[in-house]
Amino acid sequence: MPDDVSRLLREAAAGLAQAGIDSPRVDAELLLAHVAGVPRERVVSAAVLGRPVASLLLASGSAPGADRTAEQVLDEMSRLLAARAERVPLQHLTGSAPFRHLELLVGPGVFVPRPETEQVAQVAIDEALEVAARRPGEPVVAVDLCTGTGAIALALATEVPAARVHAVELDRDAHSWAERNVARTRAASGAVVHLVRGDARTAFADLDGTCDVVVSNPPYVPPGAVPRDPEVALHDPQVALYGLGDDGLEVPRGVTRAAARLLTDGGLYVMEHAEVQAEAARDMVAQVGGFDEIRTVDDLTGRPRMVVARRVRATSDAPAAQADPSDMED
């Protein structure tokens, strides 16, 4: 491989493009930055200035791996490029994924957080901030059901100082990744997420009727809808993708019943879904009962990607929904 950063990136991007990678230049820059232990901006600057790969190692200072040679960096870069060309997710190769202002640890066994979920988190955060403004000095109780990496829960905990955040994840591997992210974020910022391993349908019974916000990015892919991208189809855990039932909304139904149980009167429910499920997701929430102001909200690209609803005051003809044992959650 060439030891000039500019040429190295050109050749790497060309190879990734041939393999069908949508963002070959960006991926090449991020992989080289990861291997060299420097920010991506330094890689871009070195390419513009025509500097050798060795210059990145000088810039890395005391960063992990700063004692590596340029030859070792090139060998590792070659290995990672080959894996990326085989459609191993970029985030699995670097070991991290950005989510809002956070950098989350990810790898095999956990769903890699996507940019569209950042807007789901934003809706929950906006509501939590509004509740905090109305009730100064009081905690805002928020719950993230099917937390995965802990992304949404950690965004709430770090961006809403008044939030008391709880999160649940059933899958053992995903819960392990969430534990690491929760501990890492707490050490860095002091933000606390109360994480448990369990079934989202029945978790947090002690919080019933007290939560201001319930948010979820549950499995929702219908059984026949195989994801197009190999990174998703081959590497994201199926337990985090498929929502069961003919419409993919069997798991979300159980999550929605849990939200109805957990939310206080007027509390907000936010759930991500596929863009083709907008109407079905609204109908699902209405059928569960106990909600009004049911609406679809778009993500930042204008695609309908979440259902948002408000918990109504319980009445005799609008009983609180109960969890259905036939609902299954992976």
Side-chain angles (χ1 to χ4, degrees):
M1 297 187 74
D3 62 3
D4 172 83
V5 173
S6 178
R7 185 179 167 197
L8 170 60
L9 290 176
R10 284 199 306 271
E11 292 187 5
L16 293 178
Q18 189 172 11
I21 304 300
D22 290 336
S23 53
R25 175 73 182 205
V26 171
D27 283 24
E29 292 171 354
L30 289 170
L31 287 173
L32 182 55
H34 169 69
V35 174
V38 299
R40 178 187 168 199
E41 292 75 13
R42 288 191 180 176
V43 169
V44 174
S45 176
V48 171
L49 296 174
R51 290 176 175 169
V53 169
S55 69
L56 297 175
L57 301 182
L58 295 174
S60 66
S62 60
D67 57 343
R68 285 174 295 181
T69 66
E71 182 178 359
Q72 289 173 322
V73 167
L74 291 172
D75 286 345
E76 179 69 1
M77 182 68 173
S78 178
R79 184 186 71 81
L80 293 184
L81 285 171
R84 185 70 185 104
E86 292 294 323
R87 308 304 292 268
V88 175
L90 174 69
Q91 297 87 347
H92 285 193
L93 299 175
T94 63
S96 66
F99 187 82
R100 296 177 68 85
H101 65 285
L102 300 165
E103 196 71 25
L104 301 170
L105 301 177
V106 299
V110 71
F111 184 80
V112 175
R114 304 298 199 266
E116 53 265 30
T117 306
E118 295 188 13
Q119 186 62 15
V120 175
Q122 185 67 63
V123 173
I125 288 166
D126 288 346
E127 175 70 12
L129 289 170
E130 185 176 324
V131 173
R134 291 199 311 265
R135 301 195 321 235
E138 296 183 28
V140 178
V141 182
V143 173
D144 178 11
L145 300 175
C146 306
T147 196
T149 59
I152 298 176
L154 288 167
L156 276 160
T158 53
E159 297 183 49
V160 185
R164 184 179 296 164
V165 183
H166 304 262
V168 59
E169 174 57 50
L170 179 61
D171 181 73
R172 180 183 61 189
D173 291 338
H175 179 265
S176 178
W177 284 107
E179 277 189 318
R180 279 174 268 181
N181 284 317
V182 166
R184 186 168 179 250
T185 303
R186 183 170 188 171
S189 69
V192 176
V193 169
H194 304 281
L195 174 69
V196 301
R197 183 180 174 204
D199 190 329
R201 297 171 303 168
T202 56
F204 306 124
D206 56 320
L207 297 178
D208 283 359
T210 68
C211 300
D212 299 293
V213 181
V214 173
V215 59
S216 181
N217 179 17
Y220 53 71
V221 176
V226 179
R228 291 173 297 176
D229 294 336
E231 290 87 344
V232 178
L234 300 178
H235 296 281
D236 274 330
Q238 291 194 0
V239 67
L241 293 175
Y242 296 100
L244 306 180
D246 293 338
D247 55 3
L249 293 175
E250 198 65 17
V251 171
R253 284 186 185 91
V255 169
T256 302
R257 290 188 176 97
R261 168 177 58 81
L262 289 164
L263 283 167
T264 188
D265 294 347
L268 195 72
Y269 177 45
V270 187
M271 190 202 80
E272 181 172 324
H273 57 68
E275 57 187 295
V276 297
Q277 293 173 318
E279 182 178 358
R282 292 194 305 272
D283 290 345
M284 174 196 71
V285 174
Q287 290 165 8
V288 165
F291 293 98
D292 61 9
E293 300 180 32
I294 303 169
R295 66 192 191 278
T296 297
V297 176
D298 294 345
D299 64 15
L300 293 178
T301 67
R303 298 178 299 169
R305 290 306 304 271
M306 72 193 89
V307 61
V308 178
R310 200 165 289 280
R311 187 70 168 92
V312 299
R313 188 174 300 277
T315 64
S316 59
D317 51 16
Q322 302 295 318
D324 185 342
S326 66
D327 285 322
M328 297 179 62
E329 178 188 357
D330 288 334

